[in-house]
């Protein structure tokens, strides 16, 4: 879909903070509120604007044990549909939060979330690896999140150590 500069501007504003209303964006852009809302509706209908989301740092929530893994998947592409059919099938699993077609040694990058490492391991061994098109997988467990979607998870702290010089 081809979009104009105003629509691009609205997308960039919402990408930075999805809480902005049409009235807020109207004030920021100088467009009238009805036009802004009409553009947002058009972008949603065309699935250019797909979802509004919040970014949560779950590591700061006591007793939260959720685990995130990034899985590199080597796949045999199917004639006529390439990787699309397999990526779509993998995307339908509830444990999967994202799937990307990649260049390089692996074909798909799959992000999986679970309640424990065992739950993710079971997903890989019982659901993902058994798919006929899947040749191999490599699982990487996320240990700490520093930055996500352009947002830092921790503010830079000043170094309070005493400088020691020879």
């Amino acid at each position: 879909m081809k979009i104009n500069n105003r629509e691009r501007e609205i997308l960039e504003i919402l990408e930075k903070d999805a809480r902005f209303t049409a009235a807020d964006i109207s004030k920021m852009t100088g467009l009238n509120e009805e036009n802004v809302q009409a553009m947002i509706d058009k972008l949603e209908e065309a699935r250019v604007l797909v979802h509004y989301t919040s970014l949560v740092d779950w590591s700061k929530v006591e007793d939260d044990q959720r685990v995130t893994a990034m899985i590199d998947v080597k796949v045999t592409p199917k004639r006529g549909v390439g990787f699309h059919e397999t990526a779509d099938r993998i995307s339908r699993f509830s444990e999967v939060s994202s799937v990307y077609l990649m260049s390089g040694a692996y074909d798909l990058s799959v992000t999986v979330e679970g309640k424990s490492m065992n739950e993710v391991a079971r997903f890989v061994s019982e659901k993902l690896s058994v798919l006929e098109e899947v040749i191999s997988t490599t699982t990487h467990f996320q240990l700490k999140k520093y930055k996500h979607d352009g947002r830092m998870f921790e503010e830079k702290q000043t170094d309070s150590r005493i400088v020691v010089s020879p």
Side-chain angles (χ1 to χ4, degrees):
M1 170 182 187
K2 188 165 178 72
I3 63 172
N4 63 41
N5 289 338
R6 292 301 200 171
E7 291 166 334
R8 181 177 303 277
E9 184 178 11
I10 289 169
L11 287 173
E12 289 171 353
I13 290 169
L14 287 172
E15 187 175 41
K16 286 183 180 139
D17 191 340
R19 293 180 297 174
F20 286 124
T21 64
D24 296 331
I25 296 169
S26 172
K27 291 174 189 167
M28 298 165 92
T29 61
L31 297 169
N32 83 32
E33 188 176 340
E34 291 77 25
N35 286 348
V36 169
Q37 189 60 56
M39 286 186 226
I40 291 171
D41 292 344
K42 174 185 165 189
L43 293 165
E44 288 174 347
E45 187 175 312
R47 304 258 319 137
V48 172
L49 188 52
V50 179
H51 185 73
Y52 298 88
T53 186
S54 296
L55 184 58
V56 178
D57 187 353
W58 287 105
S59 69
K60 293 184 177 167
V61 177
E62 196 173 319
D63 296 331
D64 185 75
Q65 300 297 317
R66 82 185 65 210
V67 174
T68 302
M70 292 157 175
I71 305 167
D72 299 326
V73 184
K74 186 80 173 156
V75 175
T76 302
K78 287 190 172 184
R79 185 178 305 274
V81 293
F83 299 102
H84 179 73
E85 189 176 288
T86 305
D88 185 57
R89 187 171 178 194
I90 292 170
S91 298
R92 294 178 188 277
F93 288 115
S94 62
E95 298 90 342
V96 174
S97 60
S98 64
V99 178
Y100 301 99
L101 179 62
M102 305 296 289
S103 63
Y106 290 88
D107 304 308
L108 300 175
S109 178
V110 178
T111 305
V112 173
E113 295 178 354
K115 294 177 184 165
S116 67
M117 290 177 82
N118 281 336
E119 186 176 286
V120 172
R122 276 194 308 278
F123 167 77
V124 172
S125 65
E126 296 172 8
K127 294 181 179 179
L128 184 60
S129 295
V130 297
L131 295 177
E132 184 178 326
E133 305 85 7
V134 172
I135 299 169
S136 65
T137 64
T138 303
T139 303
H140 309 275
F141 284 97
Q142 186 181 80
L143 302 177
K144 181 174 174 69
K145 193 180 291 188
Y146 294 97
K147 186 176 183 177
H148 184 81
D149 285 344
R151 304 281 187 201
M152 296 297 293
F153 271 68
E154 293 184 17
E155 294 299 319
K156 188 173 181 180
Q157 298 175 352
T158 56
D159 191 350
S160 59
R161 296 178 293 176
I162 299 173
V163 177
V164 178
S165 58

